[in-house]
Amino acid sequence: MIPREYLGSAAIPGGEELKLYRRGGDFMIVLDRNELMSSRMSGSEKALAVMTIERLAGRKAHHLLIGGYGMGFTLRAALAILPADARITLVELVPEIIAWARGPMVDLAAGCLDDPRVELVMGDVASVIADGRGSYDAILLDVDNGPDGLTMAANDRLYSAQGLTIARDALRPGGILAVWSAGSDDAFTRRLRNAKFAVDEVAVKARDNGKGPRHVIWFAAKR
């Protein structure tokens, strides 16, 4: 087996430490003992973008907020199908994530951060959402392994009843809050419905070939 090569680490504000590894041509970002993301498994991250945009069909223009760059799979999938007049606000909390995208993972990034449709905002996605009342057609969140603050305890506010109300207010009528998760969470589904969203919970496979672990995406439409 090819040994895993350590490439760098990054402190999460108010949280723990991320570590970047490479094994051959594959990259992994690890938190403690949890592999948060891997370049080998990108299917569900791409589905987060594709399935959200499908649900926005018929809109004349799109303004998406993507919370968390990760390895850029969601961003690149969105850019591949959005029109030239679309806008994406990409919010990333950890500067090293972007440095890695422009450094050791530059080939994987494929120039997506330099697309003119993309505005990169360094900061807390919860604050950006709170400041964006009625601004977005969709908010796509992939900043934890599910609807709890795994990477940063403060992220719990994103998934609380109050946080969901704030997200709903940041959406335009008929807009969609899409949340990626490594697994299902019945309590979160109930909170979405209590926040007056129409909820569609979809199971997706982690890999492009339809194999790998089963992940979950909630598509919550503003009524």
Side-chain angles (χ1 to χ4, degrees), residues 84-105:
D85 61 350
R87 297 170 56 203
I88 297 178
T89 300
L90 172 69
V91 185
E92 175 54 55
L93 180 67
V94 182
E96 287 85 355
I97 292 288
I98 301 302
W100 293 341
R102 297 191 184 279
M105 290 192 285

Side-chain angles (χ1 to χ4, degrees), residues 139-159:
I139 297 170
L140 288 67
L141 295 180
D142 183 7
V143 294
D144 290 291
N145 250 20
D148 60 71
L150 175 65
T151 59
M152 186 174 71
N155 280 354
D156 282 335
R157 62 183 169 154
L158 287 169
Y159 316 110

Side-chain angles (χ1 to χ4, degrees), residues 85-194:
D85 61 350
R87 297 170 56 203
I88 297 178
T89 300
L90 172 69
V91 185
E92 175 54 55
L93 180 67
V94 182
E96 287 85 355
I97 292 288
I98 301 302
W100 293 341
R102 297 191 184 279
M105 290 192 285
V106 66
D107 290 341
L108 184 63
C112 64
L113 292 168
D114 300 316
D115 190 292
R117 292 169 289 178
V118 177
E119 177 190 5
L120 174 62
V121 177
M122 298 304 302
D124 183 354
V125 68
S127 297
V128 176
I129 292 171
D131 290 340
R133 190 176 183 89
S135 296
Y136 305 107
D137 294 291
I139 297 170
L140 288 67
L141 295 180
D142 183 7
V143 294
D144 290 291
N145 250 20
D148 60 71
L150 175 65
T151 59
M152 186 174 71
N155 280 354
D156 282 335
R157 62 183 169 154
L158 287 169
Y159 316 110
S160 69
Q162 181 181 15
L164 295 177
T165 297
I166 292 170
R168 190 191 66 218
D169 289 344
L171 291 167
R172 295 169 178 165
I176 294 171
L177 171 65
V179 181
W180 182 97
S181 176
S184 60
D185 185 325
D186 292 341
F188 182 62
T189 302
R190 288 194 295 272
R191 287 201 299 276
L192 285 169
R193 289 179 175 144
N194 290 339

Side-chain angles (χ1 to χ4, degrees), residues 44-52 74 140-142 178 180 217 219:
S44 59
E45 286 86 353
K46 294 174 183 175
L48 178 63
V50 173
M51 296 176 74
T52 299
T74 300
L140 288 67
L141 295 180
D142 183 7
W180 182 97
I217 304 172
F219 299 97

